[in-house]
Amino acid sequence: MQQIPGGVCAAQGFSAGGAHCGLKKVKPDLALIVSAVPAAAAATYTKNVVQAAPLHVTKRHLADGMLSAVIVNSGNANACAPDGEANAFAMCASAAEALGLAAEQVAVSSTGVIGVSMTPKMPLVQNGIASLAESLTADAAGSDAAAKAIMTTDLTQKEMAVQLTLGGKTVHLGGIAKGSGMIHPNMGTMLCFLTTDAAIAPALLSRALGLAVERSFNRISVDGDSSTNDFCLIMANGLAGNAEICEENADYAAFLAALTDICVYLAREIAADGEGATHLITCTVKGAPDEEIATTIARSVISSSLVKSAVFGKDANWGRILCAMGYAGVNFDPERVSVSFASEAGEVPVCKNGRGLSFDEELALKVLTPHEVEICIDMAQGNAESTCWGCDLTYEYVRINGEYRS
Amino acid sequence: MQQIPGGVCAAQGFSAGGAHCGLKKVKPDLALIVSAVPAAAAATYTKNVVQAAPLHVTKRHLADGMLSAVIVNSGNANACAPDGEANAFAMCASAAEALGLAAEQVAVSSTGVIGVSMTPKMPLVQNGIASLAESLTADAAGSDAAAKAIMTTDLTQKEMAVQLTLGGKTVHLGGIAKGSGMIHPNMGTMLCFLTTDAAIAPALLSRALGLAVERSFNRISVDGDSSTNDFCLIMANGLAGNAEICEENADYAAFLAALTDICVYLAREIAADGEGATHLITCTVKGAPDEEIATTIARSVISSSLVKSAVFGKDANWGRILCAMGYAGVNFDPERVSVSFASEAGEVPVCKNGRGLSFDEELALKVLTPHEVEICIDMAQGNAESTCWGCDLTYEYVRINGEYRS
């Protein structure tokens, strides 16, 4: 497996692009990704009870496990707004018309403010989609443009691609993602669009996506809020010519590993770009009775406002880590827990067997200064482990979210 | 039922006081509350798996349902620290010796930094307890001093008392509380000490406390963190001379109502004093299928960082409210939900049947300006209701918690 450029256009037969239609003032707000041939497709959706209209439309269009394109807008979530499904379907229809497809071959996804009707801007959106469909390219520039157009408060563009060999054939797999607020475990926590030229049956594609998402996007948290719109989609068009993956064989395992790697990369990028964040926090829990307990505890730690504020202040306040472990909702023996902080600047053990260690405060400050810091927990009560990612809580988060609508 | 002064000293036979022993630099850090005669006692404890040593000691001393005193320190949580139980017991023993009691008649409670050993400061603590026991008073000044000594990052002292008539006898009930960070539903979320001269059997006292806490302290959230030390204690010494409450009769109902009122008052005070808070947020949910669903949804709304940040920014961003309802973990029909904001400045409906209403942004700004703002949700899918309280998320919260240990 090897990292390559190209994002969602790295796989054969995919083209993409982005444009500005007027949902936002100046920045690009429309993205389109198209496969030259119908692709097997699978998706995961937010578990929020309040789901945006585009998700309902997409679920219907994905019922047969096949798609040819996905149209995405930023600047309006099309959630809790009048005529939401009609407008979401109209976006699919506009893309389909421009691309010579049926509307049912197109998925739709939106991100932005909740509760504002798209209706007044639908003429702009539909014109924008028509011209965007003319300007797609099958190269890195196309993927870049799409990655930029799905951003909201994101500061960084999130894009990744790899190639691997399946049965002697070179297969490509790439993706773009967005998200920096309303980010919390439990799919979806953001938008992510993945493409591959691997041949894989829809049922296995869906299984692989579920597992990869479980170990990546469902293990990050920015602020504990799962959005109404979150969505992760993969399209696999089979143009690589590998023998179609129809069972859980070695090819499936290799594909799953590559997919998980890409999702973890993009998930970490989202956590690092958390609104106002100055630190990417990685929490690893080992020595757990099982992986679910390890994940639950790691997630609780990276979700704690007090832990997040402490990391912002470069304060090795490990008591808050034990506290967050304690209210995670799983039972364990705190008397066996050890904790250390680590980063490129070194490692500092701060707690052993549930009791504080005396440690060098200057070293701790040094360890907590780099952008990426790790909280390492050893529960010493089993052999399972898990990793979750989050970010610190800063003044800037409050500023961004106190002013978002205005 | 009538509000009276006196806090924990309003009830006959209770004296209290506060002092500085050296756990904090300057501010008072020791509080002692004593009943002149052995009192029926009941308590609720944090549900955190990591529980501080004083809670373990107190549970043992409360096993027979009777107590005569409670000793409290601030400045050190005595959690995850060496010799925690020995030090907690030594605090009880010091108080008992000074008061002519057995150590088992004394409860102990601590609040402050986690993971720092009390051992080096135990001589100061024990001397402090001995002199504090000499200086207790049975008046408002004693209660005030105790209320001040249990504060950590609190800006306001939290104290309340009422009197009511039970079977022709005047009964007094009062309490003090602390808490402004690590505040989240699920007892305990802070420290609270209640006293009453009512005669009530320990089992009924415990039942009443559980119900009152469920409807007060378990319905507030500041930052989602349940502490290792949180604790609510009530002592009932029977000196009012009322017929002992031994069943769920009218006296029990009147006592429970008064106790709930005091707990709700103190809980709101804690939410309003949330670290860095500029707004007290009350979320009322009505039209719910049952009270538990109403509570779960109200709690999710007041816990959302995005809702909290929006209130800080006086931004009527109701989409975040629907979003937080949606991930509360209960099922409901979002298409029937209506939302409005209210305060002393007026009311502004913003969402009806799951869809945004056009509203006057200037009026909304006016409604969201007072210190206390209400988020009113009507689910229109039942007759149950519930109320939870929280506060906004501000720059100041981040500053306080980025610097707490230093």
Side-chain angles (χ1 to χ4, degrees), chain A residues 134-265:
Chain A
E134 306 290 312
S135 71
L136 305 181
T137 59
D139 55 10
S143 180
D144 278 2
K148 283 197 176 68
I150 63 175
M151 290 163 63
T152 54
T153 53
D154 302 59
L155 296 177
T156 63
Q157 176 183 332
K158 298 162 188 76
E159 201 168 11
M160 180 64 171
V162 298
Q163 68 181 37
L164 66 160
T165 306
L166 293 183
K169 301 286 183 181
T170 300
V171 167
H172 308 86
L173 180 63
I176 58 173
K178 67 83 50 174
S180 69
M182 275 204 183
I183 302 295
H184 194 61
N186 280 328
M187 176 84 295
T189 54
M190 29 32 75
L191 303 185
C192 177
F193 305 99
L194 299 151
T195 59
T196 179
D197 42 24
I200 177 168
L204 283 160
L205 185 64
S206 179
R207 194 176 309 165
L209 183 66
L211 289 170
V213 164
E214 182 52 42
R215 296 193 163 186
S216 55
F217 301 116
N218 285 358
R219 294 192 178 173
I220 58 174
S221 180
V222 167
D223 55 15
D225 280 39
S226 294
S227 143
T228 52
N229 286 59
D230 299 333
F231 182 52
C232 179
L233 176 73
I234 185 165
M235 294 191 284
N237 67 13
L239 291 180
N242 62 303
E244 190 184 29
I245 302 171
C246 294
E247 56 180 18
E248 293 194 16
N249 54 17
D251 283 358
Y252 173 81
F255 179 80
L256 174 59
L259 182 60
T260 304
D261 271 8
I262 287 200
C263 289
V264 166
Y265 174 87

Side-chain angles (χ1 to χ4, degrees), chain A residues 18 69 72 114 149 153 160-161 223 262 283 287 309 332 341:
Chain A
V72 192
I114 300 173
T153 53
M160 180 64 171
D223 55 15
I262 287 200
C283 179
S309 299
F332 66 92
F341 292 97

Side-chain angles (χ1 to χ4, degrees), chain B residues 91-176:
Chain B
M91 288 175 64
C92 297
S94 296
E97 192 185 343
L99 298 165
L101 299 167
E104 290 69 24
Q105 289 176 275
V106 182
V108 57
S109 169
S110 302
T111 177
V113 181
I114 300 173
V116 174
S117 173
M118 303 252 321
T119 304
K121 297 213 169 162
M122 279 308 289
L124 293 174
V125 172
Q126 291 178 285
N127 286 338
I129 293 172
S131 20
L132 173 56
E134 306 290 313
S135 71
L136 304 181
T137 60
D139 55 10
S143 180
D144 280 1
K148 283 196 177 67
I150 62 175
M151 289 163 63
T152 54
T153 52
D154 302 59
L155 296 177
T156 62
Q157 176 183 333
K158 298 162 187 77
E159 200 167 14
M160 180 63 171
V162 298
Q163 67 181 37
L164 66 158
T165 307
L166 293 183
K169 301 284 182 181
T170 300
V171 167
H172 308 87
L173 179 63
I176 59 173

Side-chain angles (χ1 to χ4, degrees), chain A residues 6 8 23-24 60 62 69 89 99 110 112 121 160 162 166 202-203 230 237 252 257 268 339 366 369 372 386:
Chain A
V8 287
L23 287 166
K24 292 182 185 168
R60 287 201 292 273
L62 206 58
F89 182 82
L99 297 166
S110 302
K121 296 214 170 159
M160 180 64 171
V162 298
L166 293 183
D230 299 333
N237 67 13
Y252 173 81
R268 284 170 51 99
V339 179
K366 211 176 285 179
T369 296
E372 185 170 347
S386 181

Side-chain angles (χ1 to χ4, degrees), chain A residues 369-401:
Chain A
T369 296
H371 176 255
E372 185 170 347
V373 300
E374 191 177 350
I375 297 169
C376 315
I377 297 170
D378 186 350
M379 296 178 68
Q381 40 212 285
N383 293 309
E385 54 182 77
S386 181
T387 301
C388 287
W389 299 273
C391 62
D392 53 346
L393 176 62
T394 68
Y395 301 129
E396 197 58 11
Y397 176 87
V398 178
R399 192 191 63 73
I400 293 169
N401 287 299

